[in-house]
Amino acid sequence: MPNRDSETLILAVETSCDETAAAVLRGEREVLSDVVASQVGLHAEYGGVVPEIACRAHVETVLPVVDRALCDAGVASADLTAIAVTQGPGLVGALLVGLTFAKSLAWAHGLPLVPVNHLEAHLSAAFLEGEVPTPFVGLVVSGGHTALYHSAARGEYRLLGQTLDDAAGEAFDKVAKLLGLGYPGGVVIDRLAREGDPGRFRFPRPMLASPNLDFSFSGLKTAVRDHWERYGSEDVRDVCASFQEAAVDTLVEKTARAARETGAGCVVACGGVACNTRLREKLSARAASLGVELRIPRPRYCTDNAAMVAAAGRHRFLLGIRASLDLNAVPTWPLEQMTEAA
Ligand code: KG4
Ligand code: ZN
């Protein structure tokens, strides 16, 4: 079995939320295949992810998605070095589909099984694109999570701060819903905001005055809702731009503060909201003014995918981390406790 660094062939399976994904990674960053089957169309009419629908769709899709990933990569299951799978955090039923599939494949081919934390996978996406200097400050900003970590070395994480209520992506989605822009809304707000005036309305920058590194987005969402209910006829593009500016300012300011306070020379931003063009723009400007390096994966690697799971899984495989076939899903798995849960 090849397991020297340059020869590893990792198949990764990701089913933590509403994307069924599989990827094959050769060595550290050669992504041979990267297949994502999105369920967005199934959940859109409900305005959010419906767990039962997500599980059923994963059951139907996981086999063709993995088949396609192996086929695109030109790799047979027997050639693999290991199988990495998202163990948590996420929707327990959805996680169980990927986990059960990965366990079966690992058992059938006598392959090692490597459990992966979804949040570490998001951060690991940055390692697919090149070297990431440590220590770094990691901003994980997605539909389910908004948190800042300090990573002194790859695989080590200390929580610096996190949202006390809604995740940033959740705020984008809820604001889009109340503005009648559909689901998921982050990408629509991003697009409309480009044509709007970010200074037209002054929405609150929550938690900026407090000295900690926590976030809060539900008050911002409420402020937009109150504004919209009162002045509903206002130009929606200006509302999108002004809301986005408030959310982005908060994320950038806290991330910059984290970098300053920890003295880290690099910032990594990842997760679906890291696709946001304004966030990418403002983080780049701030990182340059602070003199720190910035790593934001390409948008495809920011939203849920399995290439990032393969990157994290490969690192853990090389550390000797293996799971037995009684591995269970972990719906809540704080990144800083990942070694204990494995
Ligand atoms: O990482 P991800 O695909 O799934 C989770 O792990 O949650 O993130 C999805 C979130 C959604 O809330 C979506 O609205 C948001 O990322 N998102 C964006 C953008 N693209 C996706 N938010 C703001 N601007 C975007 N361009
Ligand atoms: Zn995610």
Side-chain angles (χ1 to χ4, degrees):
M1 184 197 313
N3 63 7
R4 270 183 291 142
D5 292 17
S6 59
E7 291 171 2
T8 51
L9 262 185
I10 308 287
L11 168 72
V13 180
E14 154 66 41
T15 61
S16 67
C17 191
D18 61 341
E19 261 95 28
T20 318
V24 177
L25 178 70
R26 176 155 58 203
E28 195 173 2
R29 53 182 75 109
E30 196 185 345
V31 180
L32 298 183
S33 62
D34 175 21
V35 181
V36 179
S38 174
Q39 304 174 3
V40 146
L42 296 177
H43 302 286
E45 66 174 291
Y46 304 98
V49 177
V50 182
E52 179 64 21
I53 293 176
C55 299
R56 287 171 188 272
H58 284 307
V59 170
E60 284 170 11
T61 321
V62 69
L63 176 58
V65 164
V66 170
D67 254 351
R68 170 84 192 282
L70 289 169
C71 184
D72 285 359
V75 161
S77 306
D79 300 334
L80 294 167
T81 311
I83 299 179
V85 62
T86 305
Q87 188 191 357
L91 302 171
V92 70
L95 288 163
L96 281 170
V97 177
L99 217 57
T100 307
F101 188 88
K103 283 199 257 186
S104 312
L105 204 60
W107 179 77
H109 295 281
L111 292 167
L113 183 68
V114 183
V116 169
N117 179 302
H118 183 79
L119 304 175
E120 179 170 52
H122 271 302
L123 286 165
S124 299
F127 291 82
L128 284 172
E129 311 262 40
E131 294 298 321
V132 178
T134 49
F136 68 80
V137 160
L139 171 69
V140 181
V141 68
S142 71
H145 302 272
T146 296
L148 278 165
Y149 299 93
H150 181 261
S151 177
R154 188 164 180 187
E156 285 177 33
Y157 309 99
R158 180 165 60 88
L159 181 68
L160 299 173
Q162 63 186 329
T163 183
L164 303 178
D165 40 56
D166 290 351
E170 200 178 345
F172 271 88
D173 293 339
K174 286 178 175 171
V175 165
K177 190 173 175 182
L178 72 90
L179 297 178
L181 302 175
Y183 168 85
V187 68
V188 185
I189 289 184
D190 190 352
R191 181 162 42 79
L192 291 175
R194 269 175 242 157
E195 298 157 11
D197 174 5
R200 170 108 184 260
F201 309 113
R202 179 79 193 168
F203 292 127
R205 269 76 175 150
M207 308 283 293
L208 267 196
S210 79
N212 60 35
L213 294 170
D214 289 330
F215 302 94
S216 163
F217 290 102
S218 78
L220 170 58
K221 172 204 66 196
T222 305
V224 177
R225 191 188 61 214
D226 291 349
H227 177 95
W228 188 248
E229 283 172 0
R230 192 172 307 171
Y231 312 104
S233 58
E234 296 286 357
D235 190 335
V236 71
R237 292 169 300 183
D238 290 342
V239 176
C240 287
S242 303
F243 156 73
Q244 177 177 274
E245 201 69 4
V248 165
D249 279 352
T250 310
L251 292 167
V252 171
E253 192 52 46
K254 294 262 170 168
T255 306
R257 205 181 284 174
R260 269 199 317 267
E261 286 176 9
T262 60
C266 179
V267 165
V268 172
C270 59
V273 181
C275 294
N276 185 269
T277 45
R278 190 70 176 145
L279 178 62
R280 295 171 89 93
E281 206 173 273
K282 288 196 124 180
L283 266 181
S284 302
R286 183 58 74 86
S289 74
L290 285 173
V292 301
E293 302 217 29
L294 178 65
R295 301 285 187 272
I296 312 181
R298 71 189 72 172
R300 185 175 174 88
Y301 293 157
C302 283
T303 48
D304 284 352
N305 67 87
M308 67 183 194
V309 177
R314 175 182 176 277
H315 179 71
R316 285 162 68 73
F317 171 78
L318 294 174
L319 289 176
I321 294 167
R322 307 285 185 270
S324 57
L325 292 179
D326 61 1
L327 183 73
N328 207 352
V330 189
T332 309
W333 185 4
L335 187 49
E336 61 281 15
Q337 291 166 18
M338 51 180 288
T339 30
E340 291 112 77

